[in-house]
Amino acid sequence: MKITVLSGGVGGARFIRGLRHRLRQVHPDSAGGTVDSISAVVNTGDDMWLAGLRIAPDLDSIMYTLAGANDEERGWGRIGETERVSAELHAYGVGWPWFTLGDLDLGTHIARSYYLRSGLPLSEATSRITARWNLGVTLLPATDDEVETQVVVDDGSTMHFQEWWTKHRAALKARSFVQDNVSDSRPAPGVIEAITDADVIILAPSNPVVSIGTILGIPGIRDAVVRASAPVVGVSPIIAGSVVRGMADACLEAIGVATTAGAVAAHYGARSNGGLLDAWLVDESDADAVPAIEALGIRAVAVPLWMRDLETSAQLARDALSLALATG
Ligand code: GDP
Ligand code: CA
């Protein structure tokens, strides 16, 4: 079975790790890999050049999580990380003083920047970097083009998403999100094929605006999902009216979508009505929302959505796959 997941960083990474675990449970004989294949189409809107290096936070969150090299407690970056190089950069006044890059993490950024400067596209750089870890999942950046998310804040000024998110902790009221040069961008090689050839497409429980929204903003990707022959199942990133981890509510507010599982489903829309979803998983605590979502033409099921550990993430993946197969 070919499964394609559209994903942001942390929420998506946990979901994909659970999915890989679930598939290994189903096919324990596949010697560490799986007879199924998982492709992740990953948001690149958070990417940026900093201190001469190309940073790709969502690709790296997924890579480290799948590699088992992530800092589980902190929720991002590498385990056993030190920050000596960043301290030196800050002393030189290079980079952003409020943005620290770990030493091990810098190794990834240097490798990526080396490949990019050698003339390779991001997709090829990603494939070379991920090869080290034997992830069992193909990571596809949504685009090879530099389509960075800018946030227009209330006073009309614009800043890079990373500055709004990390420096201001999303506390400055956002008016809108803009993707630089998006109309000239193209999906990276393999992205449209991964969507068109999939047996199941899953929208991970990721930020609907600045993760899934930015992926869908690359010309051709939304259309490919809408037209795909595979069933499309989404997992709500919202549980009982809150965002679980992070500050995605500030993003939803800016685009006028309430922070509820039902409102996000309505925002994605039913495929039968030109939207994206055939089915939508909500948390058990949101079971009340099921009839209204089904009334939109989206099949909805309430299951536990908290990804507390590998087992709960794998169970969620199992629920997403069953719903897809029941829908398709
Ligand atoms: P980011 O790029 O690191 O912000 O990560 P994503 O875009 O992939 O996901 C962020 C979103 O994941 C958060 O806003 C949460 O709403 C959602 N999320 C995080 N943990 C969980 C979880 O355990 N269950 C569910 N359903 N959603 C989660
Ligand atoms: Ca992100």
Side-chain angles (χ1 to χ4, degrees):
M1 186 163 50
K2 290 185 187 154
I3 303 165
T4 296
V5 184
L6 272 54
S7 176
V10 171
R14 285 180 172 245
F15 180 79
I16 295 165
R17 181 175 54 179
L19 177 62
R20 184 184 64 179
H21 189 66
R22 172 64 195 153
L23 297 179
R24 286 177 177 171
Q25 286 172 333
V26 179
H27 303 289
D29 302 332
S30 63
T34 74
V35 297
D36 303 296
S37 67
I38 306 173
S39 299
V41 176
V42 182
N43 171 44
T44 51
D46 306 1
D47 296 9
M48 65 193 152
W49 286 102
L50 190 68
L53 301 173
R54 190 69 180 162
I55 320 290
D58 289 2
L59 282 166
D60 290 348
S61 288
I62 300 176
M63 179 171 78
Y64 297 151
T65 301
L66 293 176
N70 60 313
D71 187 330
E72 199 71 25
E73 215 150 280
R74 191 169 50 162
W76 53 274
R78 293 284 296 272
I79 185 90
E81 187 61 288
T82 49
E83 292 168 353
R84 298 185 66 195
V85 176
S86 237
E88 285 298 292
L89 289 173
H90 293 163
Y92 286 119
V94 170
W96 286 330
W98 42 267
F99 200 84
T100 297
L101 297 166
D103 296 334
L104 297 174
D105 193 32
L106 275 161
T108 308
H109 308 319
I110 292 169
R112 176 186 297 114
S113 307
Y114 161 71
Y115 287 134
L116 293 175
R117 290 213 178 84
S118 312
L120 297 176
L122 178 63
S123 50
E124 180 59 28
T126 302
S127 131
R128 294 192 186 195
I129 290 166
T130 53
R132 166 187 174 192
W133 300 102
N134 193 19
L135 302 179
V137 173
T138 304
L139 301 193
L140 302 168
T143 178
D144 279 335
D145 300 315
E146 292 181 12
V147 183
E148 300 179 8
T149 302
Q150 303 288 336
V151 187
V152 184
V153 294
D154 229 11
D155 68 5
S157 63
T158 297
M159 64 184 73
H160 191 282
F161 170 75
Q162 210 60 250
E163 185 177 352
W164 180 72
W165 189 257
T166 305
K167 181 177 177 192
H168 297 288
R169 309 295 304 159
L172 287 182
K173 200 170 158 49
R175 237 188 239 176
S176 60
F177 299 90
V178 184
Q179 294 170 269
D180 279 342
N181 305 316
V182 67
S183 54
D184 297 330
S185 70
R186 281 173 306 153
V191 168
I192 297 298
E193 293 79 355
I195 294 168
T196 307
D197 300 347
D199 299 305
V200 173
I201 298 172
I202 301 177
L203 305 191
S206 288
N207 189 313
V209 186
V210 296
S211 292
I212 306 293
T214 35
I215 297 172
L216 295 169
I218 309 296
I221 296 189
R222 173 186 290 273
D223 254 19
V225 176
V226 170
R227 285 162 207 248
S229 57
V232 181
V233 176
V235 181
S236 175
I238 308 298
I239 298 178
S242 74
V243 291
V244 191
R245 296 179 176 94
M247 305 164 288
D249 44 345
C251 305
L252 286 167
E253 191 188 337
I255 63 160
V257 174
T259 303
T260 66
V264 174
H267 167 66
Y268 286 142
R271 270 224 293 177
S272 54
N273 201 15
L276 295 161
L277 295 174
D278 294 304
W280 185 239
L281 284 175
V282 302
D283 187 63
E284 289 172 314
S285 61
D286 290 316
D288 290 358
V290 165
I293 298 167
E294 297 224 308
L296 298 169
I298 300 165
R299 182 142 182 207
V301 175
V303 298
L305 289 198
W306 265 94
M307 299 181 286
R308 288 194 170 81
D309 49 31
L310 190 54
E311 291 307 322
T312 49
S313 310
Q315 180 59 44
L316 177 56
R318 181 182 187 170
D319 290 333
L321 290 176
S322 330
L323 181 56
L325 299 177
T327 308

